Amino acid sequence: MMLSPQTLKTPLIQFEGVAVDYGRGPDRVRALEPTSLAVSEGDFVALVGPSGCGKSTLLKLAAELLQPSAGFILFGGRELGAKPVRVGMAFQSSTLLPWMTIRDNVMLPLKIVPPFRQHYRAKRRGEYRDKVDALLAQVGLRDFADSYPWQLSGGMMQRANLCRALIHEPDLLLLDEPFGALDQFTREELWGTLQELWMATTTTVILVTHDLREAAYLANRICVMSPRPGRILEDRVVSFERPRTVEMTYEPDFVSTIQHLRSMIVHSPKESPK
Amino acid sequence: MMASIRRRAASISLIIGLFVFWEVAVMAFGISSLILPRPSEILSTLYARGPAIWPHAKQTLYTTLMGFSIGVMIGLSLGTLIGSSRLAYDTAYPLLVGISSIPKVAVVPIFVLWFGAGTVPAILTAMIICIFPIVVNVATGLATVEPELEDVMKSMKASKLDILWNVALPRAMPYFFASLKVSVTLAFVGSVVAETVASNRGVGNMMMIASASFNVPLVFAGLFVLATMGVSLYVIFSLIERRVVGWAMRKDGAV
Ligand SMILES: Nc1ncnc2c1ncn2[C@@H]1O[C@H](COP(=O)(O)OP(=O)(O)OP(=O)(O)O)[C@@H](O)[C@H]1O
Ligand SMILES: [Mg+2]
């Protein structure tokens, strides 16, 4: 498959006219209208839009948990699935395993994902353990490595969850409303943590969120999706300086960006015709 | 801590109180020991006939544990098989529920027909009676892995075996242990029923013979022996459960 010649740099992941239908026959429902989206390497893209518009669906496509019903997805210029893509994923519920310590939870991807898994037995008490502890220290969980998930607060669990999604140095970090269940203050703290992590690693991130302030704080680009079945209505670059702070979210520029996004979502056309 | 001691004390005094009431009521109403012997009578029978009861108790414990162990192995593998595939789960579950609703004691005559009276039917009955709770529990535990967790694992390109081994099986362990406690008591039912019908050894058989000769205190002594063994095994498995899957009963651990 050829790329358009005007693309200067090959995007890391590229959705081309990708549509998704759930179900078969008469029960078939369209979850995602043909959508095109290109995310370049090291970018941070936020997907916002009304509930049910297909944001999670788009993430599942990127993680190869779902196959598109139409269109195609390229990764590094080649069809997605041609070679293994390292993906990190985190959801609103932390899904940490209750029988494992935080350290073992975070280490789980190293046991599963190649090439780490080949050396898991040899390195889990040495190199991997240090790697996990360093990452935990980075998010402020140094003293909780030996704790169990249920001994942590919701915010701490999400920190550990981010660590688990990042420990295997993924090419692509997919976050589906990771802070959705947290209170405002904890959430803002975690924005800072995620920004730091991302700036330190420059992993490519796609973040799904309902919180426009969160999107504008964290992302380089915000894609607004229309109501179900979704497609991308607007693709807006957010160029505030980094590292961003919570105070910046109250500045006029920032506020007007959010207001613009809000009006896009509120006034977006209902149910586009089939 | 205080509360748990108080609870334990309360339940022990309830048991003792029950026996005292039993003793007093039998004496007060002058009930014949042919109908309901007093606890003290039962205990003295137990003591006097101890050497004669012991081989029977050993036999029953042996058949029960044998049947239980085989049942656990079969139940665990069958449960894993059914629970780890959506298709197998949907296909086999109705059949499983159907089979498990058959009263298992009804198969004793069949086993006797096939294997003759003795140890084998008792083991098989104990086995078959404890398989189904284990299968159903393990399969349920495996099949109910949270979809998000499964997505996280699949996004790492984890194989089915990876998911089974690292997530699904450990997650199903609390279900498994809960079913073990139920199964081990059920296994006693199985072996004793089989012994009663078709064996010349075991507590069931001993009680059968004792009741035929109207030795009612001995019948009750057999009952005591069974209760003691059943409760002991239940307690042992509760302790193992607490050690192995304590994480699932986190309330007391969250300090
Ligand atoms: N497994 C499924 N089977 C059938 N329909 C589905 C399935 N998953 C999602 N859908 C439908 O697809 C549409 C898009 O779902 P998706 O989960 O991607 O929405 P979303 O944008 O993530 O919503 P939310 O913001 O509420 O999480 C929804 O309307 C939903 O009804
Ligand atoms: Mg969603």
Side-chain angles (χ1 to χ4, degrees):
Chain A
M1 272 161 250
M2 289 299 296
L3 291 166
S4 46
Q6 61 264 48
T7 323
L8 291 172
K9 195 175 152 209
T10 313
L12 184 77
I13 187 162
Q14 186 174 11
F15 300 84
E16 277 296 333
V18 170
V20 173
D21 299 319
Y22 283 108
R24 285 170 200 287
D27 299 331
R28 206 176 167 86
V29 275
R30 173 139 286 197
L32 192 67
E33 284 286 304
T35 299
S36 297
L37 172 70
V39 179
S40 43
E41 192 163 354
D43 211 351
F44 196 133
V45 175
L47 282 177
V48 298
S51 187
C53 70
K55 303 182 294 290
S56 301
T57 303
L58 206 60
L59 282 198
K60 282 184 187 164
L61 286 171
E64 293 176 75
L65 300 173
L66 205 65
Q67 292 301 316
S69 314
F72 56 90
I73 306 168
L74 299 181
F75 188 90
R78 287 165 58 188
E79 198 160 353
L80 185 65
K83 64 177 169 84
V85 178
R86 234 186 277 165
V87 171
M89 216 170 182
F91 292 93
Q92 178 169 339
S93 61
S94 69
T95 66
L96 296 171
L97 307 176
W99 58 90
M100 284 185 183
T101 61
I102 295 299
R103 180 185 291 118
D104 290 342
N105 263 290
V106 174
M107 210 183 287
L108 185 67
L110 302 182
K111 193 177 179 183
I112 307 272
V113 178
F116 298 102
R117 73 179 290 161
Q118 282 82 338
H119 310 289
Y120 179 75
R121 276 166 175 280
K123 296 185 175 172
R124 70 186 157 139
R125 293 186 206 286
E127 192 184 315
Y128 287 179
R129 190 190 153 106
D130 296 342
K131 189 178 164 74
V132 169
D133 286 359
L135 189 58
L136 284 174
Q138 217 176 331
V139 301
L141 290 179
R142 187 203 305 273
D143 299 332
F144 293 89
D146 292 307
S147 302
Y148 286 87
W150 40 270
Q151 294 171 314
L152 268 56
S153 70
M156 287 152 87
M157 280 197 236
Q158 273 318 344
R159 285 170 196 274
N161 196 16
L162 283 180
C163 290
R164 186 180 62 181
L166 279 169
I167 192 70
H168 53 298
E169 300 161 24
D171 303 311
L172 196 56
L173 177 61
L174 303 170
L175 303 173
D176 197 344
E177 299 179 38
F179 313 134
L182 304 177
D183 66 86
Q184 190 65 39
F185 292 111
T186 314
R187 194 182 302 180
E188 287 170 0
E189 262 179 52
L190 275 155
W191 295 350
T193 308
L194 178 55
Q195 177 175 246
E196 269 173 41
L197 287 172
W198 174 71
M199 287 173 73
T201 60
T202 66
T203 315
T204 312
V205 184
I206 305 179
L207 166 77
V208 166
T209 176
H210 278 135
D211 184 341
L212 296 175
R213 269 177 77 228
E214 177 172 304
Y217 177 110
L218 283 166
N220 287 343
R221 260 171 76 197
I222 300 178
C223 297
V224 182
M225 291 180 70
S226 72
R228 186 177 95 95
R231 68 205 150 77
I232 292 174
L233 286 179
E234 168 150 335
D235 191 339
R236 190 183 174 94
V237 173
V238 189
S239 49
F240 302 111
E241 225 170 285
R242 292 202 191 256
R244 296 174 189 161
T245 60
V246 174
E247 285 70 45
M248 284 168 72
T249 65
Y250 298 106
E251 281 167 15
D253 274 3
F254 200 99
V255 172
S256 74
T257 301
I258 288 169
Q259 257 155 7
H260 173 79
L261 291 171
R262 207 184 113 71
S263 68
M264 290 289 310
I265 292 172
V266 173
H267 301 300
S268 62
K270 298 281 173 249
E271 271 313 302
S272 54
K274 284 247 164 123
Chain B
M1 201 61 195
M2 245 352 252
S4 86
I5 290 173
R6 199 173 307 155
R7 227 178 311 129
R8 193 156 301 168
S11 77
I12 288 173
S13 45
L14 177 68
I15 293 170
I16 293 173
L18 185 73
F19 281 114
V20 170
F21 173 76
W22 178 352
E23 184 88 27
V24 171
V26 169
M27 284 202 288
F29 295 106
I31 299 172
S32 152
S33 71
L34 272 183
I35 294 171
L36 184 65
R38 284 175 286 124
S40 58
E41 250 179 300
I42 297 170
L43 283 178
S44 69
T45 309
L46 211 51
Y47 182 73
R49 303 288 302 271
I53 296 173
W54 178 238
H56 290 294
K58 247 181 14 190
Q59 166 74 9
T60 300
L61 195 63
Y62 168 74
T63 53
T64 303
L65 288 183
M66 245 344 235
F68 175 69
S69 316
I70 302 172
V72 167
M73 282 188 279
I74 296 178
L76 192 57
S77 6
L78 217 57
T80 306
L81 204 71
I82 291 172
S84 47
S85 140
R86 185 83 242 163
L87 185 69
Y89 189 80
D90 290 343
T91 318
Y93 207 82
L95 178 69
L96 217 64
V97 172
I99 294 179
S100 71
S101 63
I102 298 175
K104 249 66 75 192
V105 293
V107 299
V108 177
I110 301 175
F111 287 146
V112 174
L113 198 68
W114 288 346
F115 303 104
T119 307
V120 179
I123 291 178
L124 288 180
T125 312
M127 177 198 87
I128 202 144
I129 210 168
C130 67
I131 284 180
F132 293 99
I134 297 174
V135 173
V136 170
N137 270 277
V138 171
T140 309
L142 290 177
T144 53
V145 173
E146 299 87 333
E148 275 109 4
L149 184 53
E150 211 169 326
D151 281 353
V152 167
M153 294 301 289
K154 282 186 185 158
S155 76
M156 299 180 207
K157 318 286 184 292
S159 65
K160 283 214 135 199
L161 199 65
D162 283 332
I163 297 180
L164 184 70
W165 194 247
N166 290 294
V167 176
L169 270 181
R171 219 192 68 98
M173 282 301 112
Y175 296 84
F176 173 62
F177 276 99
S179 70
L180 282 192
K181 287 190 299 187
V182 176
S183 282
V184 78
T185 30
L186 282 180
F188 267 108
V189 175
S191 58
V192 170
V193 167
E195 284 166 2
T196 312
V197 179
S199 180
N200 49 6
R201 279 200 295 169
V203 178
N205 175 254
M206 183 195 83
M207 288 166 70
M208 197 64 190
I209 292 170
S211 79
S213 58
F214 294 102
N215 189 347
V216 182
L218 187 58
V219 175
F220 275 85
L223 216 55
F224 267 41
V225 170
L226 288 178
T228 310
M229 291 197 293
V231 169
S232 311
L233 284 180
Y234 185 93
V235 168
I236 288 171
F237 280 102
S238 301
L239 291 177
I240 298 176
E241 177 183 28
R242 203 167 261 267
R243 276 207 73 98
V244 180
V245 293
W247 55 266
M249 310 175 229
R250 65 191 78 154
K251 272 148 246 121
D252 34 347
V255 191

